[in-house]
Amino acid sequence: DTGVSQDPRHKITKRGQNVTFRCDPISEHNRLYWYRQTLGQGPEFLTYFQNEAQLEKSRLLSDRFSAERPKGSFSTLEIQRTEQGDSAMYLCASSLAQRESDTQYFGPGTRLTVL
Amino acid sequence: ILNVEQSPQSLHVQEGDSTNFTCSFPSSNFYALHWYRWETAKSPEALFVMTLNGDEKKKGRISATLNTKEGYSYLYIKGSQPEDSATYLCAYYGGSQGNLIFGKGTKLSVKP
């Protein structure tokens, strides 16, 4: 399978713990995006990378959140001191970005539950 | 604040019925409108990317139209099948940011 993969698929944690999620994009894609979906809402943008550079961050991305893409390939999203409000589906997507409107291909998501 | 609205929120139809959904988006600074289908426990699947006013796209029994001047797109499903059951998301790309702005989706349930 050469699509976008995410790990883990599910994560249950206690409030106050740190969690880290991984995203492996489609190999030739240079753009990588993180979105979050909470119950009853559409996916909301968190941040995106072009190669290893983080080009944009949403106001939703508080200082407890950090994302990296060290070699321009896979990316990690870390949430420190998790809160119950962080419970959501975290989606990763990648695109080739030859044109700005190119399709973003999504992974299956990581569902986070904070108890 | 850029807002993307989808209606209806949910839809229940019988197998064989045809159906359609609406996506409303800002008509200014328009670059593209994306449609995705998201089945439970799977990745959102890209259906269409539409960029030109009057665009019509088709994929099997699913088709979509685009009106950028008035800021809406319709998605049509002809002869719904149970496997069409999913949440259908539209997303606006305005060009001034790197990300898509999604609607809340329309959840379609097709009963056999």
Side-chain angles (χ1 to χ4, degrees):
Chain A
D1 188 282
T2 57
V4 178
S5 62
Q6 293 187 244
D7 183 68
R9 293 289 302 274
H10 302 272
K11 178 72 177 178
I12 299 174
T13 192
K14 293 183 179 178
R15 189 174 53 186
Q17 298 295 304
N18 299 344
V19 294
T20 300
F21 310 140
R22 177 180 170 124
C23 171
D24 286 89
I26 294 171
S27 58
E28 64 268 26
H29 285 183
N30 57 356
R31 282 201 173 184
L32 187 148
Y33 308 81
W34 286 98
Y35 291 84
R36 179 175 73 183
Q37 189 204 27
T38 53
L39 197 62
Q41 302 296 316
E44 296 171 296
F45 170 74
L46 293 178
T47 188
Y48 89 95
F49 295 82
Q50 179 145 327
N51 300 313
E52 63 274 11
Q54 190 172 16
L55 295 188
E56 189 172 344
K57 290 194 287 186
S58 161
R59 288 173 298 170
L60 292 175
L61 212 66
S62 76
D63 56 7
R64 296 185 298 105
F65 288 69
S66 62
E68 294 182 346
R69 194 183 184 198
K71 298 181 180 177
S73 56
F74 73 92
S75 176
T76 57
L77 178 69
E78 182 183 15
I79 308 174
Q80 295 183 328
R81 305 180 304 281
T82 53
E83 301 173 356
Q84 288 185 324
D86 297 332
S87 296
M89 174 74 83
Y90 290 84
L91 290 163
C92 174
S94 70
S95 72
L96 192 52
Q98 288 180 328
R99 295 170 303 182
E100 294 291 344
S101 59
D102 272 355
T103 298
Q104 293 183 20
Y105 294 89
F106 281 83
T110 295
R111 182 167 293 284
L112 174 66
T113 302
V114 182
L115 302 176
Chain B
I1 296 177
L2 299 174
N3 211 26
V4 176
E5 301 282 348
Q6 289 189 248
S7 64
Q9 191 173 9
S10 64
L11 198 54
H12 298 264
V13 301
Q14 289 293 133
E15 181 175 355
D17 288 350
S18 293
T19 186
N20 64 85
F21 327 132
T22 304
C23 172
S24 301
F25 53 86
S27 55
S28 58
N29 297 319
F30 175 85
Y31 271 59
L33 194 283
H34 297 240
W35 280 100
Y36 286 88
R37 174 171 61 199
W38 195 2
E39 296 179 65
T40 303
K42 294 186 177 180
S43 304
E45 173 196 356
L47 291 174
F48 306 113
V49 180
M50 308 181 79
T51 56
L52 299 175
N53 185 44
D55 227 359
E56 291 190 30
K57 297 222 171 174
K58 189 173 181 182
K59 186 177 182 178
R61 295 179 291 100
I62 304 176
S63 60
T65 61
L66 180 69
N67 183 321
T68 61
K69 293 183 179 180
E70 296 181 43
Y72 65 84
S73 175
Y74 293 135
L75 188 79
Y76 301 91
I77 302 178
K78 184 178 178 182
S80 302
Q81 300 296 308
E83 58 264 31
D84 296 329
S85 297
T87 295
Y88 290 82
L89 293 163
C90 69
Y92 161 89
Y93 182 74
S96 59
Q97 75 287 339
N99 54 289
L100 298 174
I101 299 172
F102 281 87
K104 293 182 180 181
T106 293
K107 186 172 183 179
L108 173 67
S109 298
V110 182
K111 292 182 181 178

